[in-house]
Structures are given as structure tokens and as C-alpha cells.
Amino acid sequence: MRVVQGRSIQGANGVVGKRVMGTLGALALTASLLSACGGDQEPPAEADTTTTSPTATPTPTPTPEEPEASPEPSASESQPEEPEASPSPSDGTDEGSEEGSGDDEGAEEPEEPEVPDYIQYGEVSDRVGALQQRLQDLGYFITSVDNTYGGETQQAVFALQKAGGLYRDGVVGDQTQAAADDGVVPQAETSSGKVLEIDIDRQLVLAVENGRVVRVINASSGNGETYEALGNTYRANTPRGSFAVYRSEDRMYESGLELGEMWRPKFFTGGIAVHGSASVPAFPASHGCVRVSNGAMDWIWDTWGAPAGTPVVVY
């Protein structure tokens, strides 16, 4: 937390004496009063409500009666004395620089900004790398441990927050970090074979092998709203049930309803497919298909494999 140092500004106060000593004493008193009342005060800076501003110690103002102890000044003495000029080095030695550097001896070192107690998008640090490694070890889809919180890491954090029933904001605070430390992962619904499971309630895609979850992928399915396409009205639902991959398109595929592009889709019922997308939010947002990141879709195609006939269970 950055603390803003407050400042307390002491106003000058003049004191009017009862006795005036001679014409020159009156002039000196008048000058003293004008100097005390005529200066502009600098407005105080706003202080952080959590920081108490130190109170400046008022400088005592001499009263007009104090000169009574000294003889009345002459006209020449009433003029201000010229300040003595500071000696300057004549030979370019270090004496002058040492004298100037003395001003910095009492200066406070600038405080380093506090490291936030959470991790969020854009951070580059070792603790991001540790988070990435932990997510990868737990099976969340993340390919690179590079200490940089980018889009892929955000997708994995979304998936972790969904699995743990946490708020899906991509920010790793105490609860999300605890979920990672505790090894929170979703459990498979199937027990045998190689199955692509789609959890609609938690918006996750699970790659499952004989009941063991090998990858947890952030997903976004149908948002349930109605929409118009080619003159017809549809509802953006993702059907639940047991299906199987029946068709694959290894390319950027254009929707037949002119709803946009799908990266390497794998269709499992009608026009509904699991496909890659550049936009996979933490909430349902599609027209009925199941979106995953393009990188995750490449992994399904090239590493895990989901050929025709692969079971797809949506619940």
C-alpha cells in the first residue's frame, strides 16, 4: 500500500505590541506585520486515511517588545544585512562536491512498492512460475512454465476456480492459491475407456482415461439465449447426454449458420462440436458448441487424440 505523507502547514501570526519606539521602530513593526499576514499558505496535501500526519512544531514569532532590550537601531542598521556568500572552490577539487553531497545524508531512501498478495494477469515472477508448475502437475491444461501470467495461465486458473467452486476472475488470491496447494481437481463421471467429458455446470472439459482425469480444460458452452440465424430463431443450448465424435474438420471451419469460425471442430451431435476459439470466457457464451482454447484443441487433436467414435459425455 502506498502511503501518502501528509503535511501540516503552520500559519504565521503577528503580535501587536503596546509600545512603539520611535519612527524607525514603528516602521520595523509595520514591516513585521505585513510579512506575517501577507504570505500565501500552501494548501495541505491529502493524507492517506490510514496514516497520521506529523504536526509541525510552530516557530516562535518574536514580539514587537523584544527590541526594547537593545538600543534603538540607527537608519543604517535597519537595513537587512547582505548574506555572506558561500565560498566556492577555486581549483575544481572535491571540496565543493562533498559540501553539496552532505544534503543527501539525511534524505530517506524511496520505499520499494509492496508486492501484492495476489497474482493476476500480466505478472512476471518466480511465483507465477511456481503456480504454473503446480497447475501443470495437477493436470490443468498449461504447456509452458515461463514465469509469465498470460492467456494460457489465465485459462488454467479459470479451470481451477471452476473446479473449486470459487469466483471465476482469474485472480489468484488466498482461496485460489489454497485450492492449488490442496490439489483440487474434478472427478471423472466415467470409469472405463477414453472419454471426453463435458461438465456443463462447471464449464469444464475433461480428458479422461479409465476413470482418471488427465487434463482439465476451461470451456464455454451455450448461454441459453435465443438468436437469429439465416431467418430462423434458435436457442443456444448444449444438449446433455451420451454421444460420440462422428465428424472432424482439421481446419478453420466456417459455421453453416454464419455464426463465426471454429478451429478444428469435432462434432458429436448435429451441428454441436467441441472446437477451438480465441475467446473462451469463464462463463457460458457460445451458440451451443463447446469452446476451448485453440492450444487445448490442438492438444486434443495432436497429442491425446479423439478420433471418430470417441465417447463424449455431457452432464
Side-chain angles (χ1 to χ4, degrees):
M1 176 178 66
R2 185 177 61 186
V3 178
V4 180
Q5 180 65 39
R7 289 183 293 175
S8 177
I9 298 178
Q10 180 68 27
N13 293 309
V15 179
V16 180
K18 294 180 180 179
R19 291 185 296 170
V20 179
M21 299 182 61
T23 304
L24 293 178
L27 291 174
L29 174 60
T30 303
S32 174
L33 290 171
L34 290 175
S35 174
C37 300
D40 292 335
Q41 291 187 2
E42 181 182 359
E46 294 183 2
D48 191 300
T49 55
T50 61
T51 304
T52 302
S53 301
T55 303
T57 303
T59 304
T61 304
T63 66
E65 295 182 355
E66 288 180 358
E68 185 177 5
S70 303
E72 182 175 352
S74 63
S76 61
E77 290 175 344
S78 65
Q79 300 297 322
E81 295 181 359
E82 290 290 333
E84 293 183 5
S86 301
S88 57
S90 58
D91 57 356
T93 62
D94 294 334
E95 294 178 1
S97 60
E98 290 177 359
E99 184 177 351
S101 63
D103 296 338
D104 296 331
E105 290 180 359
E108 295 183 359
E109 291 291 332
E111 294 184 3
E112 296 217 359
E114 294 182 6
V115 177
D117 56 359
Y118 54 85
I119 303 173
Q120 64 181 346
Y121 188 92
E123 179 173 330
V124 180
S125 66
D126 290 341
R127 66 178 184 170
V128 172
L131 172 67
Q132 291 171 328
Q133 186 64 63
R134 179 59 174 165
L135 291 172
Q136 191 178 76
D137 292 343
L138 291 174
Y140 290 92
F141 180 76
I142 187 166
T143 61
S144 178
V145 178
D146 59 3
N147 292 2
T148 301
Y149 192 129
E152 185 180 83
T153 303
Q154 185 183 59
Q155 289 286 300
V157 171
F158 281 157
L160 172 65
Q161 291 175 331
K162 290 176 177 182
L166 304 175
Y167 187 71
R168 309 166 183 181
D169 59 0
V171 176
V172 183
D174 291 340
Q175 290 184 322
T176 302
Q177 185 63 59
D181 294 340
D182 294 343
V184 172
V185 291
Q187 300 300 307
E189 292 291 316
T190 60
S191 58
S192 62
K194 196 172 183 178
V195 182
L196 203 59
E197 293 188 9
I198 300 172
D199 186 337
I200 296 296
D201 292 336
R202 290 189 288 187
Q203 295 287 283
L204 293 172
V205 167
L206 311 179
V208 180
E209 296 177 3
N210 296 321
R212 183 174 66 93
V213 176
V214 297
R215 284 293 180 276
V216 185
I217 302 170
N218 182 52
S220 178
S221 65
N223 60 17
E225 298 179 2
T226 58
Y227 64 93
E228 300 289 330
L230 301 180
N232 296 312
T233 301
Y234 301 90
R235 185 170 293 277
N237 284 331
T238 303
R240 302 173 192 250
S242 296
F243 311 96
V245 174
Y246 75 90
R247 175 187 170 198
S248 300
E249 296 287 345
D250 190 8
R251 60 191 175 96
M252 185 65 81
Y253 180 82
E254 185 70 34
S255 166
L257 293 178
E258 300 179 355
L259 299 175
E261 295 179 329
M262 299 183 285
W263 175 243
R264 304 180 83 179
K266 286 187 175 289
F267 294 91
F268 57 87
T269 180
I272 305 297
V274 177
H275 67 82
S277 174
S279 174
V280 188
F283 49 85
S286 81
H287 293 98
C289 286
V290 180
R291 300 181 193 173
V292 297
S293 69
N294 289 335
M297 200 65 210
D298 288 339
W299 178 85
I300 291 174
W301 267 85
D302 304 330
T303 302
W304 193 64
T310 299
V312 178
V313 178
V314 185
Y315 50 85

